[in-house]
Amino acid sequence: MASKLRLYNTLNRRLEDFEPIEPGHARIYTCGPTIYDYPHIGNYRTFLFEDILRRTLRVLGFEVTQVQNLTDVDDRTIQRANENGISLREFTDPFAKAFFEDLETLRVEPAEHYPRATEYVPEMVEIIKRLEAEGHTYRSEGSIYYRISTFPAYGKLSGIKPEKNLAGARIDVDDYEKDDARDFVLWKAPKEGEPVWETDLGPGRPGWHIECSAMAMALLGETFDIHCGGVDNIFPHHENEIAQSEGATGCGFARYWLHAEHLVVEGEKMAKRVGNFFTLRDLIDKGFDPLVVRYLLISVPYRQRLNFTFDGLHAAEQAIDRIANTLRRLENTPPVAGDGDLAQADIDAFDEDFRAALGDDLNTARALAALHNLLRVVNTALDGGGIGQAGRQALDGAFAGADSVLAIFPKGKSDAGADAEIDALIEERAAARGNRDFARADAIRDELAAQGISLEDTPHGTVWHRE
Ligand code: AMP
Ligand code: ZN
């Protein structure tokens, strides 16, 4: 892997070389799910971009410390728990469990920390006390608000500056209009039906934005390297995180801010509120392999919108089949003596392309194109003079390197029983042909074709693949 990684930093609106504060160690905070329901695949687009980021960093030799929070107390979780008549914890636990199951199904490499907001309330209270001491807050009717006019850098991430005539206008809800900078709530006064914490600030519960500042600083330090989320997090959530954290500490919060564009359906952001969503489970129920979903969601570079369609899913399915077929062909074809038709230069060209693609702001589309190009070279070699032992080894290394970032290669022989039967039939066909029993040989070919298996007679024997 090349050592250079260029990332688009929303804060400075340009591509920058990534250099962590501590050489060799990348500290990353990724805003996690609100566990009030099953995440939809739009949420997973963002989480998979973060997975590609951490895997790329690791392949580049960085140690990674990643924090992904679970938002288990906010307006939405409280409302849903109340509707169900159970405690916040009872309500959110099953969705936390489902989230972790989905991550494993999608081959997301686990983060080092998954803090829950409810477990960091003392840390939130400490930050709010520091903000009070620095003169950034005011109280009203038992709630505490951040006065954004006291933080001149407000708007540096999103470009959304407070309007002068709106000074003092405040907002109590967690999420609000995308272009309306207002004083926002840090600590909410107790309310009928809401959980209450008794703290030095008085009774109440945290606002959503302070949660991420507290968990990030507790686990990564006051200043860390990368903060990620979807583009909808830029304002107000991340802008407010900066105001809270830097307002309290007086030093920079995150140095690189990375944001994934949305998964959209007919031009509109996939969202629970709109109803235009699929969960991972919905797609698995429709018969899609989770690997296909992973492939689709990483196939477009994270800073471009990705339009979700079933045609797109089917195209991803074909791409995964192409990988599986090539791997199977390789497994079923012994190496030839000598060099064969796959040269070290082919592997080197792939390595270089693949590295350059990921180093270029995680360009997964280019990385996948490099992989498909290599698959084409491999198939051409198998059609021609075959692949020698050295070529096979180099190829295995290249595939393993690619898959340590992409994680889309089918694992092992899940249908080993079926494969053994196919191999046996192919042997029987070879024997029939040897005996000039062409009727039997053709019958076997037809029988396999009916199962979607096509045969190819090459100079190195018969190979098969699933269509
Ligand atoms: P939430 O559970 O709503 O807090 O969202 C969790 C993460 O998913 C956040 O980083 C959002 O920015 C991201 N997200 C939400 N909707 C989409 C979407 N349609 N496409 C991509 N990311 C999304
Ligand atoms: Zn957050």
Side-chain angles (χ1 to χ4, degrees):
M1 267 283 182
S3 52
K4 272 251 164 98
L5 174 61
R6 280 161 72 74
L7 297 170
Y8 184 84
N9 189 351
T10 308
L11 189 60
N12 299 328
R13 294 165 183 75
R14 58 164 190 249
L15 285 166
E16 295 176 349
D17 288 340
F18 174 65
E19 299 205 4
I21 299 163
E22 180 192 328
H25 186 176
R27 292 184 174 81
I28 311 176
Y29 187 86
T30 49
C31 284
T34 307
I35 41 176
Y36 73 116
D37 205 339
Y38 297 100
H40 57 66
I41 55 167
N43 301 131
Y44 285 120
R45 182 190 194 199
T46 292
F47 302 148
L48 284 172
F49 132 69
E50 294 158 352
D51 184 51
I52 296 287
L53 171 67
R54 72 166 277 137
R55 286 170 174 273
T56 300
L57 284 163
R58 276 161 48 79
V59 168
L60 289 173
F62 290 96
E63 180 190 345
V64 172
T65 302
Q66 182 191 354
V67 177
Q68 181 158 59
N69 71 293
L70 304 185
T71 301
D72 63 351
V73 52
D74 77 328
D75 295 349
R76 288 184 289 183
T77 44
I78 292 172
Q79 187 196 341
R80 288 281 181 92
N82 285 346
E83 282 165 11
N84 285 273
I86 50 179
S87 73
L88 205 51
R89 187 79 197 202
E90 274 175 305
F91 174 72
T92 54
D93 266 351
F95 293 117
K97 185 166 170 277
F99 171 63
F100 290 123
E101 283 166 9
D102 283 0
L103 289 186
E104 202 179 329
T105 308
L106 285 171
R107 296 194 187 169
V108 173
E109 213 171 68
E112 282 63 33
H113 303 277
Y114 289 103
R116 278 166 166 261
T118 48
E119 286 160 6
Y120 284 80
V121 175
E123 286 81 354
M124 298 173 205
V125 170
E126 278 317 302
I127 298 173
I128 298 172
K129 282 162 73 177
R130 281 169 85 174
L131 287 171
E132 284 198 312
E134 298 292 331
H136 288 298
T137 66
Y138 58 92
R139 292 185 179 236
S140 176
E141 292 164 22
S143 292
I144 304 175
Y145 297 87
Y146 193 106
R147 193 188 299 280
I148 57 176
S149 60
T150 63
F151 187 70
Y154 195 90
K156 69 175 170 178
L157 182 71
S158 63
I160 298 169
K161 292 282 183 185
E163 278 183 45
K164 289 216 166 47
N165 58 0
L166 269 180
R170 59 174 186 262
I171 187 102
D172 280 281
V173 291
D174 285 332
D175 215 355
Y176 47 95
E177 285 303 310
K178 299 292 164 220
D179 51 4
D180 195 2
R182 284 168 184 253
D183 293 348
F184 59 91
V185 71
L186 295 163
W187 188 253
K188 298 197 188 196
K191 220 169 150 184
E192 178 72 35
E194 295 208 341
V196 179
W197 279 264
E198 295 295 340
T199 72
D200 293 352
L201 301 169
R205 59 121 169 150
W208 170 42
H209 311 293
I210 195 68
E211 299 179 0
C212 283
S213 286
M215 290 182 273
M217 290 203 276
L219 293 161
L220 297 173
E222 292 185 349
T223 304
F224 57 94
D225 300 303
I226 307 178
H227 196 312
C228 306
V231 286
D232 56 302
N233 287 150
I234 299 174
F235 186 88
H237 186 48
H238 289 168
E239 195 70 66
N240 291 353
E241 276 188 52
I242 292 174
Q244 295 161 158
S245 311
E246 300 187 359
T249 64
C251 61
F253 184 47
R255 298 165 75 225
Y256 301 85
W257 289 83
L258 271 50
H259 294 100
E261 253 301 348
H262 284 143
L263 184 69
V264 299
V265 184
E266 287 165 9
E268 190 162 13
K269 176 191 170 196
M270 182 176 282
K272 283 274 153 64
R273 182 176 41 76
V274 184
N276 60 350
F277 67 92
F278 290 98
T279 64
L280 177 61
R281 285 139 208 263
D282 291 337
L283 296 180
I284 292 172
D285 287 348
K286 285 183 189 293
F288 290 99
D289 185 329
L291 268 196
V292 169
V293 179
R294 179 176 171 101
Y295 189 101
L296 176 71
L297 294 177
I298 66 172
S299 63
V300 171
Y302 76 95
R303 283 203 297 127
Q304 286 170 31
R305 285 178 143 207
L306 167 54
N307 192 31
F308 175 79
T309 61
F310 280 94
D311 282 351
L313 259 185
H314 287 299
E317 205 161 43
Q318 280 171 5
I320 294 279
D321 280 352
R322 191 153 172 254
I323 298 170
N325 285 337
T326 307
L327 293 181
R328 195 171 303 112
R329 264 192 97 175
L330 275 168
E331 246 172 57
N332 295 340
T333 314
V336 294
D339 286 345
D341 277 357
L342 183 74
Q344 184 61 41
D346 295 319
I347 306 276
D348 292 345
F350 162 74
D351 276 341
E352 200 177 310
D353 266 13
F354 190 79
R355 259 186 259 140
L358 289 168
D360 175 18
D361 199 23
L362 312 173
N363 190 332
T364 42
R366 248 179 78 196
L368 286 167
L371 175 64
H372 284 289
N373 195 39
L374 179 62
L375 295 177
R376 192 178 50 73
V377 170
V378 166
N379 280 306
T380 307
L382 290 172
D383 290 341
I387 298 176
Q389 189 66 44
R392 271 300 288 273
Q393 264 177 18
L395 192 57
D396 287 347
F399 281 162
D403 207 42
S404 63
V405 176
L406 301 173
I408 49 169
F409 279 37
K411 274 195 195 135
K413 280 190 174 177
S414 53
D415 41 10
D419 285 4
E421 244 169 63
I422 295 163
D423 290 341
L425 280 169
I426 289 173
E427 261 174 47
E428 192 188 331
R429 175 170 167 270
R433 288 183 359 148
N435 296 332
R436 307 188 64 75
D437 182 357
F438 296 115
R440 176 66 192 140
D442 287 348
I444 292 173
R445 177 187 281 272
D446 292 346
E447 188 184 329
L448 288 170
Q451 296 175 34
I453 308 290
S454 69
L455 303 185
E456 206 179 329
D457 295 313
T458 76
H460 317 287
T462 303
V463 295
W464 60 271
H465 24 133
R466 289 199 169 85
E467 292 306 318

